[in-house]
Amino acid sequence: MSRFDKSKLPSRHVSVGPERAPHRSYYYAMGIAEEDIAKPFVALASAGNDSAPCNTTLDAQADAARAGVIQGGGMPRRFNTITVTDGIAMGHQGMKASLVSREVIADSVELSVRGHCYDALVGFAGCDKSLPGMMMAMLRLNVPSIFVYGGSILPGRYEGRDVTVVDVFEAVGRYAAGTCPIHDLTALEKVACPGDGACGGQFTANTMACVGEAIGLSLPNSNMVPAPYSSREQIAVAAGAQVMELVARQLRPRDICTRAAFENAARVVAATGGSTNAALHLPAMAHEAGIAFDLHDVAEVFKTTPYIADLKPGGQYVAKDMHEAGGVYMLMKTLLAGGFLNGECLTVTGRTLGENIDEVTWNPDQKVIHDVRTPLSPTGGVVGLRGSLAPEGAIVKVAGMHRLQFEGPARCFDSEEAAFAAVEARSINEGEVVVIRYEGPKGGPGMREMLSTTAALYGLGMGEKVALITDGRFSGATRGFCIGHVGPEAADGGPIALVEDGDPIRIDAEAGTIDLLVDDATLARRRSTWRARDHDYGSGVLWRYARNVGPAWAGAVTHPGARAESHVYADI
């Protein structure tokens, strides 16, 4: 007798009863046997494609998971969704598509699962926005789900040292400064990315991969395994088998991703010096589960979390090194011992986080992950800011930074292109606060990342000699005094829209403040003449996104979320 009661699963709507004979005929057309149609239907959602190395192994991993699903008594069904890969979209108008793709990924996975009445979901993702997009879909649908990261790229080697794509972005700045000959730039670009996998540092992809394990949606110590390693196939098979255990128990994402689990995830982001984009994606994921957890909640967790993982871009090591040091669970072992994690949260193993961590033995000989008693710094690698320039908040990555206060005159640009041109022309002056505005979720639209600009500044030797503030975003690969997510954004008439060249701005990442030092009367006079700007998109997805997107502090979401639900898909 089957351990699955099909009469209570969504797939009954396409497979059970005489009235579903037409539906079953489609499954017979694909060579599926009658006994297999009677099993639970498991979606294997892959963000695989040929767009970039982040995604090139995902389809093979998703196909490997079929064996695990079959072993566990299910019927696997693979489908694909899109990705927009930031490394290729970076520095031009294509970056406007990046954050929007997160919503499209979540929406497309939801639609495929809803339309075909799948009972469970194993999601495979590789590049930045596909990770939160896939997990958002899991929380929205609330069917038993497991998230699998495709794995990171191995580091390249150049002149005897490990390199990543960030070294190439920064070399562009050195080339503009005349300190990197074109043949050196060409040689570097050819070796920086040696094969399959997502960016190797603690940039957005690896940050959100760590979140997958910390929040309980991924199998323990699965996500730091590099993409080229053969063990990734075993992880995929194990995920397929384990999701069937979740179906049998009806253990769902919202049972796992509680408020405490989101706090655990934020702890791990801060402890690893992770991407500031996590402060955008964690609120968006929480929104799908009906949990209030915004930028300010994330920042509160960051304030009290030690920075303990020595990872690029602020540190020395990459994801491969973290995997060899013991992975995310090695990091969580010391965080739990220090009282920084809630060990009672459930995970996709069916056990609690604490029970999973109990199976890990601390390795005192590895160099990547420090004990919480001897951290790299006593507070997190990412800091939330608030003040007169950002009443709704902002965020900065401080991991590896030597300077946590900055005050200087504003230098304003109304687009990233204008700022990048000034950097290339070497017209940015030491001590200035570069302001890039009208790049927020609504104003961009799409809230572009500014890695091309920040990396070029570093290449020019200006990385810690200027500050950069934007209502857009920064790549997880960005380093330096770079503050993103400033809200309200310029398109909504936030204070960032009123800044003029020369205005003094003060930033204190220790105190968590960011202030425009201009009197209220002057700002009121400027506001009286300010007019909202039109963006360049009068139709299509970017127009629709600009009309629907909410503020960055709440995750830049585009729908009311679980708190407005009248039903959950899993219960249809």
Side-chain angles (χ1 to χ4, degrees):
M1 181 177 175
S2 173
R3 58 186 178 141
F4 305 108
D5 184 354
K6 186 92 162 178
S7 70
K8 295 181 180 178
L9 297 178
S11 64
R12 71 186 185 278
H13 295 294
V14 295
S15 62
V16 175
E19 69 277 14
R20 302 309 180 197
H23 306 70
R24 289 191 295 274
S25 70
Y26 280 74
Y27 294 112
Y28 287 124
M30 292 183 279
I32 298 171
E34 182 177 358
E35 58 268 26
D36 291 327
I37 298 173
K39 297 173 181 176
F41 292 2
V42 178
L44 304 176
S46 168
N49 54 51
D50 294 339
S51 300
C54 333
N55 313 311
T56 44
T57 68
L58 296 177
D59 286 352
Q61 291 186 43
D63 284 338
R66 294 176 190 269
V69 172
I70 292 167
Q71 170 191 321
M75 185 179 78
R77 300 284 86 197
R78 179 165 76 82
F79 65 86
N80 282 60
T81 185
I82 68 157
T83 53
V84 172
T85 298
D86 289 6
I88 290 175
M90 194 73 68
H92 55 88
Q93 293 289 307
M95 180 48 73
K96 294 180 185 290
S98 171
L99 184 58
V100 182
S101 76
R102 183 190 73 178
E103 313 310 307
V104 174
I105 290 162
D107 292 351
S108 62
V109 172
E110 176 195 2
L111 291 173
S112 192
V113 170
R114 280 189 182 275
H116 302 105
C117 294
Y118 293 136
D119 301 317
L121 172 61
V122 185
F124 296 79
C127 194
D128 297 5
K129 308 308 169 294
S130 59
L131 282 79
M134 197 69 73
M135 288 187 275
M136 287 163 65
M138 292 172 177
L139 287 159
R140 186 184 303 177
L141 294 160
N142 205 32
V143 289
S145 301
I146 294 179
F147 173 74
V148 182
Y149 179 42
S152 71
I153 199 168
L154 295 173
R157 293 290 291 176
Y158 182 70
E159 296 183 341
R161 61 188 174 91
D162 283 352
V163 293
T164 71
V165 70
V166 177
D167 294 278
V168 188
F169 275 102
E170 292 183 1
V172 171
R174 295 198 303 278
Y175 171 73
T179 60
C180 178
I182 187 64
H183 59 80
D184 287 355
L185 178 60
T186 302
L188 176 61
E189 72 178 78
K190 289 181 177 178
V191 299
C193 300
D196 297 317
C199 295
Q202 194 64 350
F203 313 150
T204 305
N206 283 325
T207 298
M208 296 310 295
C210 290
V211 163
E213 292 193 43
I215 210 165
L217 286 176
S218 296
L219 295 175
N221 271 345
S222 59
N223 286 349
M224 288 297 101
V225 179
Y229 285 17
S230 60
S231 52
R232 290 236 58 94
E233 180 177 341
Q234 298 160 22
I235 291 165
V237 173
Q242 182 59 26
V243 83
M244 298 312 300
E245 297 301 317
L246 301 183
V247 174
R249 291 182 53 174
Q250 279 301 293
L251 181 58
R252 300 177 176 184
R254 295 186 195 176
D255 301 323
I256 292 166
C257 298
T258 60
R259 167 75 187 224
F262 276 96
E263 291 174 356
N264 285 344
R267 291 274 186 215
V268 168
V269 171
T272 59
S275 171
T276 55
N277 283 312
L280 198 67
H281 300 323
L282 286 173
M285 290 168 59
H287 182 73
E288 300 289 357
I291 295 169
F293 193 69
D294 62 26
L295 169 66
H296 309 298
D297 298 310
V298 173
E300 282 300 311
V301 175
F302 288 171
K303 275 183 189 177
T304 57
T305 306
Y307 168 41
I308 60 173
D310 191 8
L311 298 168
K312 288 178 179 286
Q316 303 180 65
Y317 299 104
V318 295
K320 174 186 77 74
D321 302 315
M322 186 170 177
H323 165 60
E324 292 171 356
V328 180
Y329 267 77
M330 186 65 65
L331 177 116
M332 292 196 294
K333 180 83 173 178
T334 187
L335 286 175
L336 183 65
F340 293 100
L341 294 181
N342 185 325
E344 298 304 310
C345 296
L346 282 173
T347 72
V348 292
T349 65
R351 301 187 301 273
T352 66
L353 188 72
E355 289 170 332
N356 292 342
I357 290 172
D358 282 344
E359 297 182 0
V360 175
T361 301
W362 174 255
N363 176 8
D365 298 322
Q366 53 81 28
K367 305 297 184 186
V368 181
I369 304 162
H370 290 228
D371 190 289
V372 291
R373 294 169 295 185
T374 55
L376 290 160
S377 67
T379 55
V382 186
V383 172
L385 305 173
R386 213 168 188 171
S388 61
L389 184 56
E392 289 182 354
I395 196 158
V396 59
K397 179 188 280 194
V398 298
M401 280 174 49
H402 304 103
R403 182 179 184 179
L404 298 180
Q405 290 84 25
F406 199 103
E407 183 172 340
R411 180 79 178 279
C412 300
F413 300 93
D414 287 350
S415 70
E416 184 195 9
E417 286 84 356
F420 186 74
V423 173
E424 278 201 311
R426 305 184 71 178
S427 68
I428 302 295
N429 300 312
E430 184 175 335
E432 288 184 325
V433 179
V434 177
V435 177
I436 305 177
R437 58 195 175 194
Y438 297 102
E439 291 286 7
K442 183 186 297 184
M447 203 179 183
R448 284 194 288 183
E449 291 182 348
M450 309 291 167
L451 177 59
S452 291
T453 301
T454 60
L457 280 168
Y458 249 91
L460 288 169
M462 298 281 282
E464 296 199 22
K465 297 176 181 177
V466 298
L468 200 154
I469 295 173
T470 182
D471 53 5
R473 299 181 294 127
F474 291 110
S475 166
T478 289
R479 55 187 179 133
F481 220 132
C482 298
I483 295 145
H485 305 198
V486 168
E489 62 173 292
D492 282 334
I496 194 172
L498 307 179
V499 182
E500 294 184 359
D501 285 349
D503 286 351
I505 293 173
R506 180 185 299 147
I507 308 153
D508 188 333
E510 277 191 308
T513 57
I514 177 169
D515 291 301
L516 175 62
L517 306 180
V518 175
D519 64 84
D520 291 344
T522 300
L523 291 178
R525 186 169 63 252
R526 292 177 187 176
R527 185 171 295 285
S528 69
T529 60
W530 177 83
R531 297 292 179 269
R533 294 161 50 101
D534 289 332
H535 57 72
D536 295 333
Y537 300 89
S539 66
V541 66
L542 292 175
W543 175 86
R544 187 165 62 243
Y545 183 82
R547 292 288 293 266
N548 290 304
V549 69
W553 66 267
V557 295
T558 57
H559 67 99
R563 279 175 284 181
E565 284 176 345
S566 59
H567 79 281
V568 179
Y569 162 77
D571 294 325
I572 62 169

